[in-house]
Amino acid sequence: MNLHALRLFHVIASTRSVTRASEILNISQPAITAQIKKFEKELSFSLFKPQGRGIALTDAGEQMEQLAKRLFSVEQQIEQFAYDYLNGTNGHIRIAATYLPAHVLLPTWIAKFKQQYEQVEMSITTTNSSDALKQLLNVEADLAIYGGLPEEYPDTVETEELFQDELWFVVAPGHRYANQQVSLSDMMKEPFVMREEGSSTRERLLALCRTYSTSAPKINLQFNGLHEAITAVIAGYGANFVSSLVVQKYVERGELCRVYVEGIRLQNTIAVCTRKYEPLSAAAAHFIKMIRQNPYKKS
């Protein structure tokens, strides 16, 4: 079907005037009339009939007008969608996040972002560092947000540090090391409650022991979730090595206490990772810009 001719028909039908259609489309009346006659011949039925000094739609023309109206309405919607997508007001952002940013940072960031970009869909997968990087590389996520970067990552990954926080040793208030200063070797004799293998914080603790030639911690309890591990320590069992962002409020409320390990002060990097040689969608670029401007602030 000749869509150009259909568009001419649609304008004539909506204005009920070849003259007015000619002015709107900036096409001469004879040219419009010729194309409509050719279109009617293609369809094998008439679209218009004379009515006084003007024209009216035939029965077939009236039905065609309704269909054309729907078609060009959808066209406008597509044009609007394309405009919104290119400007970042529409689209879909897939995020793979480690447990720290997923539970502590993303809820606030997303709420702020959605206030401005309500139509952008967002999917968040909470996982460990290894799997977040895997999802990014396999194009299952548009960006990955880490709380503690993996020690090595491919050259195809672009990493931008957002800010840093401290890593703390914490225990329950009744623990003998609560608010005390101890050696790393003594701390490693305590039972630890930790996340599963692949957790960046767990790997940082093991690397710390290797650096100082200290025996590895006894990980007597292992959870796949950050909240579960912290809850077990609050309940009175073992110690944890965790981002201060996660446990700061528990420490302020007296539900957990820090242990100050001699000579140890580690920083935890919060970063956003993308695929280096692929452009981001406008929506994803807007989201990253927003979190750059709104880093986490401790209360």
Side-chain angles (χ1 to χ4, degrees):
M1 176 176 287
N2 187 330
L3 289 180
H4 175 64
L6 181 63
R7 190 182 304 278
L8 296 181
F9 161 75
H10 175 59
V11 177
I12 298 169
S14 61
T15 60
R16 293 297 197 273
S17 169
V18 174
T19 302
R20 182 66 183 131
S22 173
E23 294 171 352
I24 293 172
L25 298 170
N26 196 26
I27 300 174
S28 69
Q29 293 186 44
I32 290 179
T33 301
Q35 290 190 59
I36 290 298
K37 287 186 179 298
K38 184 178 179 181
F39 188 43
E40 289 177 323
K41 185 176 181 179
E42 178 188 335
L43 295 172
S44 301
F45 56 77
S46 298
L47 297 170
F48 297 102
K49 60 185 180 181
Q51 187 178 67
R53 294 185 178 181
I55 56 171
L57 292 170
T58 63
D59 290 341
E62 289 179 355
Q63 294 181 56
M64 182 71 81
E65 179 190 21
Q66 294 304 312
L67 293 172
K69 185 182 296 184
R70 289 169 59 186
L71 174 65
F72 292 116
S73 175
V74 170
E75 180 190 44
Q76 290 179 346
Q77 292 175 34
I78 292 171
E79 290 175 347
Q80 185 64 47
F81 170 80
Y83 175 84
D84 291 343
Y85 188 84
L86 289 173
N87 286 277
T89 55
N90 211 325
H92 187 185
I93 306 173
R94 300 168 301 165
I95 301 172
T98 60
Y99 287 88
L100 167 61
H103 288 92
V104 179
L105 302 171
L106 276 171
T108 300
W109 283 344
I110 290 173
K112 187 174 185 64
F113 181 75
K114 292 288 281 185
Q115 289 174 11
Q116 186 173 356
Y117 300 102
E118 185 178 357
Q119 299 305 316
V120 176
E121 295 182 29
M122 305 188 77
S123 302
I124 296 89
T125 301
T126 304
T127 185
N128 58 42
S129 300
S130 300
D131 193 55
L133 182 62
K134 181 179 177 182
Q135 288 189 41
L136 181 66
L137 293 174
N138 290 343
V139 200
E140 296 169 2
D142 302 305
L143 51 94
I145 301 180
Y146 283 91
L149 287 173
E151 294 180 7
E152 296 181 3
Y153 50 91
D155 292 338
T156 54
V157 172
E158 184 79 36
T159 303
E160 178 183 345
E161 181 180 312
L162 299 171
F163 63 94
Q164 290 189 334
D165 74 304
E166 291 184 353
L167 290 168
W168 289 354
F169 290 95
V170 292
V171 294
H175 194 284
R176 68 182 184 280
Y177 288 162
N179 298 315
Q180 301 298 308
Q181 183 168 305
V182 302
S183 67
L184 180 62
S185 59
D186 283 342
M187 191 71 220
M188 291 306 101
K189 295 174 184 176
E190 294 300 305
F192 271 77
V193 182
M194 295 294 291
R195 290 262 317 287
E196 78 285 358
E197 292 183 13
S199 159
S200 62
T201 306
R202 175 174 173 150
E203 296 306 317
R204 290 287 296 277
L205 180 58
L206 296 176
L208 179 65
C209 293
R210 291 193 295 270
T211 299
Y212 287 88
S213 302
T214 304
S215 59
K218 298 181 293 183
I219 301 177
N220 289 5
L221 273 179
Q222 177 177 296
F223 291 95
N224 287 335
L226 187 60
H227 175 75
E228 295 88 337
I230 294 169
T231 301
V233 177
I234 292 174
Y237 183 79
N240 200 339
F241 182 62
V242 65
S243 165
S244 63
L245 294 178
V246 178
V247 294
Q248 179 191 10
K249 291 183 179 179
Y250 294 107
V251 171
E252 290 174 351
R253 293 197 297 260
E255 297 176 68
L256 285 173
C257 292
R258 290 186 64 182
V259 181
Y260 300 92
V261 177
E262 297 169 357
I264 304 299
R265 185 175 180 181
L266 292 182
Q267 297 291 315
N268 192 42
T269 300
I270 310 300
V272 58
C273 298
T274 56
R275 291 182 294 279
K276 186 175 290 185
Y277 303 111
E278 296 182 26
L280 286 170
S281 69
H286 286 327
F287 181 72
I288 291 176
K289 180 180 179 181
M290 187 277 299
I291 62 179
R292 282 193 199 111
Q293 297 171 345
N294 296 273
Y296 181 84
K297 295 181 180 178
K298 293 184 180 182
S299 58

